[in-house]
Amino acid sequence: MTAPKPRIVTRTRLAQRLALGLLGAVLVVLAGCASRSGGYYKDDGPGRDIPADIASIPDAVPRLERHAPANFRAYEVFGVRYVPIAENQPYRQEGIASWYGRKFHGEKTANGETYDMYAMTAAHPTLPIPSYARVTRVGTNRSVVVRINDRGPFHPGRIIDLSYVAAAKLGLIGPGSGRVVVQAITNADIRAGRYPGAPLTASAAPPPEPAPTQPALLTAEPLEPLAPMAPISAAPQAGGIYLQFGAFSSAQNAQALASRVNIEASGLAGTATVTHQPPLYKVRMGPYLSRDEAARAASQLAESVDLNPVIALDQGL
């Protein structure tokens, strides 16, 4: 996991080992010598006192937090230089997530906090610490919001290390690792109440497929009707309460997402529409009469069709 780096606090146990000169052993651990399940670290794994209902542990709630200047300094691990990004810089990456558990439970994270494997946290090499991110598992649309309070992973091919409970909620404990999309929730997002929603497809919108050189063969299977593209409306009046599924710079991407949401939700909690609030096109349901009504609708969508919108207060942005 974390490794010696300039002016960044590392886990106590690793620091003690370094002080004893056992650098080689530490490098083996930090390099991510995986267990047979391939997702957590050597001598690591689940704890003994696992909470009875992991699914009931709430996601991290994004809030504005101060950042120590030292946490933005570049650092080097295993010959690789990492440069933390700014607190308002957009970030989205798809790759492999792993998790860490009892070996580091109770140890210090990179910003000096105590690691709790049953809290919704994660380690990332370049996102600001502390900060927040939405992590969505590819292929399942399971999504969680975590608080970034640690550095890592420093293993080739992995982009984020989740706490045990975050990995459990994404269904990654059994396989040990899995493909995810990590989206930063910036301070600007928090101020505007426009947290990134879980993408219905975890990859960015794919390029259009080339036209086939031969006519496509018809099949006997019935085809689902295509949903009409959602119309784009002007910015509504300030003060409305909405469920927001995503915000895009591309109108086409927003319309595609709105159509997918309406197919998935089938009018369960309303109709998703696209609102243009320059420079963004926002995919939303609403407005709702109160936050409680919006929260009930969001809960219904999460339980019934595994959609995870956020509550957004329109401020006429």
Side-chain angles (χ1 to χ4, degrees):
M1 295 305 306
T2 51
K5 55 186 83 69
R7 302 190 186 185
I8 296 180
V9 179
T10 59
R11 294 190 178 87
T12 302
R13 184 177 298 171
L14 299 186
Q16 291 171 343
R17 290 181 179 178
L18 287 174
L20 293 174
L22 299 180
L23 179 59
V26 176
L27 295 180
V28 170
V29 175
L30 294 180
C33 296
S35 71
R36 282 175 291 182
S37 66
Y40 53 81
Y41 292 78
K42 185 178 181 181
D43 302 325
D44 199 0
R48 295 181 179 178
D49 301 318
I50 299 175
D53 189 2
I54 288 288
S56 69
I57 296 177
D59 284 3
V61 178
R63 60 187 178 89
L64 297 175
E65 298 195 54
R66 298 184 63 181
H67 299 100
N71 288 342
F72 291 100
R73 295 194 180 107
Y75 63 96
E76 185 174 305
V77 179
F78 304 147
V80 178
R81 188 170 185 264
Y82 297 90
V83 181
I85 67 175
E87 64 183 26
N88 284 322
Q89 181 176 336
Y91 176 94
R92 185 184 189 280
Q93 185 178 12
E94 181 175 330
I96 300 299
S98 48
W99 60 272
Y100 59 122
R102 66 171 182 264
K103 185 176 184 64
F104 300 100
H105 187 63
E107 299 292 341
K108 295 298 183 182
T109 65
N111 68 341
E113 298 175 356
T114 300
Y115 173 59
D116 180 356
M117 62 188 289
Y118 303 123
M120 294 296 292
T121 63
H124 192 276
T126 58
L127 286 176
I129 53 175
S131 66
Y132 297 84
R134 181 178 293 279
V135 183
T136 304
R137 187 176 179 188
V138 173
T140 68
N141 202 43
R142 290 191 187 183
S143 175
V144 296
V145 174
V146 295
R147 183 171 179 269
I148 308 296
N149 69 345
D150 207 355
R151 287 298 183 216
F154 304 114
H155 185 288
R158 298 182 190 175
I159 65 170
I160 193 168
D161 264 345
L162 301 168
S163 68
Y164 175 87
V165 66
K169 292 179 73 172
L170 290 177
L172 296 177
I173 297 300
S177 60
R179 196 162 192 84
V180 300
V181 172
V182 178
Q183 298 168 286
I185 298 175
T186 67
N187 280 355
D189 292 331
I190 295 172
R191 291 189 185 97
R194 57 186 181 205
Y195 313 154
L200 290 178
T201 55
S203 300
E209 296 182 1
T213 56
Q214 299 293 332
L217 296 177
L218 297 177
T219 67
E221 296 180 1
L223 299 177
E224 293 184 1
L226 294 176
M229 294 295 280
I232 298 175
S233 63
Q237 293 182 354
I241 299 173
Y242 296 83
L243 295 184
Q244 184 163 306
F245 296 85
F248 302 85
S249 58
S250 163
Q252 184 176 1
N253 288 348
Q255 289 176 308
L257 175 59
S259 297
R260 289 290 302 276
V261 168
N262 287 330
I263 291 173
E264 295 280 341
S266 299
L268 188 64
T271 301
T273 60
V274 178
T275 300
H276 187 206
Q277 294 182 323
L280 297 174
Y281 295 86
K282 299 180 179 181
V283 181
R284 292 177 163 184
M285 283 184 182
Y288 297 90
L289 297 177
S290 67
R291 286 183 177 273
D292 287 343
E293 183 184 4
R296 286 193 296 271
S299 178
Q300 187 178 18
L301 288 168
E303 293 175 3
S304 301
V305 291
D306 203 20
L307 293 176
N308 294 276
V310 297
I311 297 176
L313 176 64
D314 193 282
Q315 299 175 345
L317 299 176

